[in-house]
């Protein structure tokens, strides 16, 4: 009976989860746009922008757990909450990945696709929060290094897109280059999912398998001081493969 009820609830879970996120973004959009036009200091913009996103994503974590039956275990992120600036890298199985980090850490700066900063759902909010665009590699590295200097945690998914080649796509070198330039630690995380909901090959309007379990595990720190960006990328890939070595591939 329970299994049947979960099957029947799947479309409701999907509509609730996607609808809530879209509505929250649209409600914040005009305020974020207005605040971005006001003569506020960059410090004030960051505080308001990131604080609002963190608060909103905390509410969204509650919605996922209690209304969507999506259980997120990200206690490992709390260990980073009061630590100095660091580059956070993780595998990228789902569109929910960044949301989870933003909901658990209050001062996260995301490296994101340039097109998303023009998106009506995310654009104004991410610009107000001084999230880093990947439009130009050099500008991205400079901007990311500056945000780290100011004390933020920089979140970057080295795969650049959601995972297609289980368990990790070939990774870019930017995360290692940024950590080395900013002289901050590079901390790895592994995101585990019971099914690849909202993954690269998961249709947007295909309901999740319920209950959906997501767990964020803290991995090792990767030394960058004497390594090239490519060496750091290869080290991260090796850690991801080792972590998922005894876990079956996720199937859509």
């Amino acid at each position: 009976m329970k299994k049947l009820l979960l099957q029947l609830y799947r479309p409701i879970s999907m509509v609730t989860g996607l609808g809530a996120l879209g509505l929250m973004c649209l409600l914040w959009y005009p305020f974020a746009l207005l605040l971005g036009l006001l003569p506020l200091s960059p410090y004030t913009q960051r505080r308001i922008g990131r604080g609002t996103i963190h608060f909103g994503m905390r509410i969204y974590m509650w919605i996922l757990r209690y209304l969507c039956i999506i259980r997120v275990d990200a206690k490992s992120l709390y260990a980073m909450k009061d630590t100095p600036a660091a580059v956070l890298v993780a595998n990228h199985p789902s569109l929910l990945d960044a949301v989870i980090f933003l909901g658990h850490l209050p001062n996260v700066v995301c490296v994101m696709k340039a097109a998303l900063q023009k998106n009506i759902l995310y654009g104004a909010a991410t610009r107000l929060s001084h999230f880093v665009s990947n439009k130009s590699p050099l500008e991205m590295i400079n901007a990311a290094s500056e945000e780290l200097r100011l004390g933020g945690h920089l979140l970057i998914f080295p795969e650049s897109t959601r995972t297609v080649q289980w368990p990790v796509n070939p990774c870019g070198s930017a995360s290692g280059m940024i950590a080395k330039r900013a002289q901050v630690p590079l901390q790895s995380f592994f995101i585990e999912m019971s099914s690849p909901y909202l993954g690269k090959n998961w249709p947007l309007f295909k309901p999740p398998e319920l209950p959906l379990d997501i767990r964020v595990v803290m991995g090792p720190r990767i030394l960058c001081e004497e390594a090239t960006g490519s060496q750091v990328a290869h080290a991260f890939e090796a850690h991801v493969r080792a972590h998922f070595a005894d876990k079956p591939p996720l199937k859509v």
Side-chain angles (χ1 to χ4, degrees), residues 77-83 86 88 105 153 187 189 218 221:
L77 293 177
Y78 290 133
M80 301 296 300
K81 196 169 183 179
D82 298 315
T83 60
L88 313 180
L105 294 172
H153 288 103
Q187 177 64 57
F189 288 90
M218 180 179 285
R221 288 202 167 186

Side-chain angles (χ1 to χ4, degrees), residues 1 16 41 78 111 119 128 137 145 153 163 193 206 218 230 243:
M1 185 65 178
T16 302
S41 69
Y78 290 133
V111 174
N119 184 293
L128 181 68
S145 299
H153 288 103
T163 306
M193 301 185 69
K206 178 182 176 180
M218 180 179 285
S230 295
H243 180 80

